Amino acid sequence: MKFKSQVKQNQLIENITVDHLVIGVDIAQEIHVARAVNFRGIALGNPLEFSNDEVGFRSFDRWILDLLASYKLNKMIVGMEPTGHYWLNLAYWLKDKEIEAVLVNPHLVKKNKENRDNTRSKSDKKDALVIADMVKNGYYSPVRFHSAEYEELRVLMSNRETVVKRLVSAVNQIHRWVDIVFPELRQVFKILTCKGALVTLRLFPLPTDLCKLESADVIAGWKKSMKRHSGVRRAKLLIELAKRTVGSKQATHAYKLHLDHLLEEYDLANTQLQRIENEVKDVLNRIPYAGKILAITGVSATSLAGVLGESGDLSGFAHGNTLLRHAGLNLTEASSGKWKGQMTLSKRGRPRLRHFLYLITMCMVMSNQEFKALHHHNVHVKKLKKMKSIMKLCGKLARLLVGMARSREAYNPDKIFAMAA
């Protein structure tokens, strides 16, 4: 099926009729501002400021009904910027009231600020009017309300990102601590987050602790926490290095306390990460087509959860190219007259969705035979640069995911990746 963004844009414009009351809302944490226009952009009524609670929403509802009656209109559409998380309450309230809610791109709002008065002035009332103008011109996208499974995935993956940042921070600080207090530990354990290194840091955090021990004492400590310890040779080397370490010998009590806190943070982040990954797998099991996608070599549960959490139900997309636009992976061009600019990615979309689509593509290029063959064909036959080939395969992946979600068919490499010899 062919997909053309211009057709979609025309449909958005045709959606606004002469019977529509077009409302723009400037979203804030506590007080929202609303302005209304008709299908031609003529401002209607007075601006309204209303609070982000039930009382404010009721006043907003009365304001809408008064404008509909005053100007003899019978349809309405409400546009807003997706400002942080502040817009969610209003969007769900509009959904319950069966009022059409749409979103406008904050970048476009900034670009359109001078359309009305040819000045760079900014205010909440002006922003609301600019949003209403953009909606009546068709520069909006419908709010995609996700079902429970996709909402859960989005929350879980957002939480996972926070936990991973904390885990990486803890690991980096453990490396810093070792470099200051006991840099020679790297000669015994190449990876400081391996089980042996972590057990050693827990049992013998300071070099002075090791200097008092024999190799048998070190091995006895290891045996309590590990079935397979690091051996007598490493135990002797550890004690010898501790005796001649160049690490800091001051503030030992403070450094020991700091290490305890770092190890606690490391353990907590790992535990939370494991819980999140288990929850993600349970949610994916409730999505009908997720199992068939996970059967593809190179697609992991975490990456697929990241895509579904950001995009929602893939079967709701008309074409894979709409998923690319949602991620900001569609191509843009800047040309004028005889000058022809380069094709670049728009990056007007969800960055986390871009990240996971790129991640899956890279994994499939390394492990999936079909994608590996396509990448080799793009680079060696079509003479594309490697990154251009990867971006092209991102488009192939998007169309593959949407096609499988819509058809509920299993992955068939012979059907999808048939190539001329």
Side-chain angles (χ1 to χ4, degrees), residues 19-88:
D19 298 321
H20 262 92
L21 177 69
V22 183
I23 300 168
V25 180
D26 183 61
I27 298 292
Q29 183 179 19
E30 297 179 356
I31 303 296
H32 307 315
V33 178
R35 297 289 299 271
V37 299
N38 63 8
F39 79 105
R40 293 183 60 194
I42 299 174
L44 306 178
N46 296 319
L48 172 72
E49 294 184 0
F50 62 100
S51 56
N52 188 28
D53 53 29
E54 185 182 0
V55 175
F57 290 170
R58 284 205 300 265
S59 66
F60 181 53
D61 189 28
R62 291 194 298 270
W63 180 75
I64 292 175
L65 293 176
D66 290 341
L67 288 176
L68 289 174
S70 299
Y71 295 96
K72 299 180 180 179
L73 302 172
N74 53 38
K75 295 181 181 178
M76 68 200 85
I77 183 171
V78 179
M80 66 193 85
E81 290 179 293
T83 306
H85 56 272
Y86 304 132
W87 65 278
L88 291 172

Side-chain angles (χ1 to χ4, degrees), residues 408-421:
R408 305 296 172 92
E409 294 181 1
Y411 176 69
N412 185 352
D414 295 332
K415 177 180 176 182
I416 299 173
F417 295 105
M419 289 174 50

Side-chain angles (χ1 to χ4, degrees), residues 87-210:
W87 65 278
L88 291 172
N89 294 334
L90 179 59
Y92 283 114
W93 179 82
L94 292 170
K95 178 187 176 184
D96 293 338
K97 299 285 290 184
E98 297 183 353
I99 299 175
E100 185 177 5
V102 298
L103 299 176
V104 297
N105 192 319
H107 181 77
L108 287 181
V109 174
K110 185 176 180 180
K111 293 286 188 182
N112 283 272
K113 283 188 185 299
E114 299 185 26
N115 287 354
R116 280 273 176 171
D117 52 11
N118 197 31
T119 67
R120 298 167 66 184
S121 62
K122 182 186 184 306
S123 67
D124 293 343
K125 294 179 180 179
K126 180 179 177 181
D127 288 349
L129 189 58
V130 171
I131 292 171
D133 275 340
M134 291 177 59
V135 173
K136 67 95 177 172
N137 288 328
Y139 303 137
Y140 64 88
S141 58
V143 178
R144 294 174 58 86
F145 293 103
H146 305 314
S147 58
E149 291 81 7
Y150 301 98
E151 190 68 26
E152 286 182 36
L153 286 177
R154 185 170 185 178
V155 174
L156 288 170
M157 294 307 294
S158 176
N159 189 20
R160 182 184 182 276
E161 184 176 355
T162 303
V163 173
V164 168
K165 286 180 180 179
R166 286 177 29 230
L167 179 61
V168 171
S169 175
V171 170
N172 289 340
Q173 290 184 72
I174 290 173
H175 279 260
R176 177 182 180 275
W177 188 96
V178 170
D179 290 339
I180 295 174
V181 179
F182 192 12
E184 293 82 4
L185 185 64
R186 296 180 184 276
Q187 299 179 33
V188 182
F189 302 103
K190 293 183 179 180
I191 302 174
L192 294 181
T193 53
C194 71
K195 189 171 184 178
L198 291 175
V199 168
T200 302
L201 289 173
R202 295 179 202 278
L203 296 175
F204 323 110
L206 299 174
T208 53
D209 299 331
L210 288 165

